[in-house]
Amino acid sequence: MRIKMLLAAAAFLGLATSAVAAPNDAAPNNYELRLEGHVPVICRVDLENSSASASQATELGRMTEFCNSAAGYEVWLSHAQGLHDAAIYVDGQRIALSSTGVTLISRSATAASQAHMVRLDPGADAGQIGDLSLRIAAL
């Protein structure tokens, strides 16, 4: 009895395998394999030097940013509110610090891994910069 069941199972598997492997006469001999996965969005930003002089221009060093969001990301600098003359330089480009206390300093329209040289210039707002922090946000 056991042998008959094994032979029947083998015959069934043989037919099933040939049915799957046989080309479809109604469709061309094309095969398609789709692989789909879901990857969590990961974003991070780091600054080489986390302390700055409140009274003079300071090289903050290298800022590295990474974000795998396909829609891109933005990097924001938080600082004291009410600044009028302070600026941050990202790769030599001057960006005036906003009086609101939050300034956009980098943006990418796609996923990216980048590095920038950053310098802080308190200008006439020396002594008023306060604590600095970076935030990266996926779009």
Side-chain angles (χ1 to χ4, degrees):
M1 174 97 171
R2 218 173 172 175
I3 294 176
K4 288 183 184 179
M5 287 177 60
L6 286 174
L7 289 175
F12 175 75
L13 289 175
L15 290 175
T17 302
S18 64
V20 170
N24 185 347
D25 292 335
N29 291 334
N30 292 331
Y31 297 94
E32 183 177 312
L33 174 64
R34 288 187 181 202
L35 182 61
E36 186 176 307
H38 300 280
V39 178
V41 173
I42 299 171
C43 299
R44 66 177 178 264
V45 62
D46 295 304
L47 190 57
E48 194 172 66
N49 186 1
S50 60
S51 62
S53 170
S55 60
Q56 62 185 355
T58 304
E59 295 293 333
L60 297 176
R62 184 178 171 164
M63 176 181 72
T64 56
E65 54 193 46
F66 168 83
C67 189
N68 66 352
S69 170
Y73 62 92
E74 296 176 334
V75 177
W76 294 85
L77 176 70
S78 296
H79 48 80
Q81 294 182 356
L83 302 176
H84 301 290
D85 194 40
I88 191 156
Y89 290 81
V90 178
D91 292 334
Q93 297 294 317
R94 184 181 192 278
I95 302 169
L97 297 186
S98 167
S99 62
T100 65
V102 182
T103 303
L104 177 65
I105 63 169
S106 180
R107 173 183 287 167
S108 177
T110 62
S113 178
Q114 302 182 59
H116 305 282
M117 293 308 294
V118 180
R119 181 170 60 95
L120 177 68
D121 184 1
D125 293 317
Q128 301 174 33
I129 297 294
D131 292 332
L132 300 174
S133 65
L134 292 172
R135 175 177 58 90
I136 188 168
L139 299 176

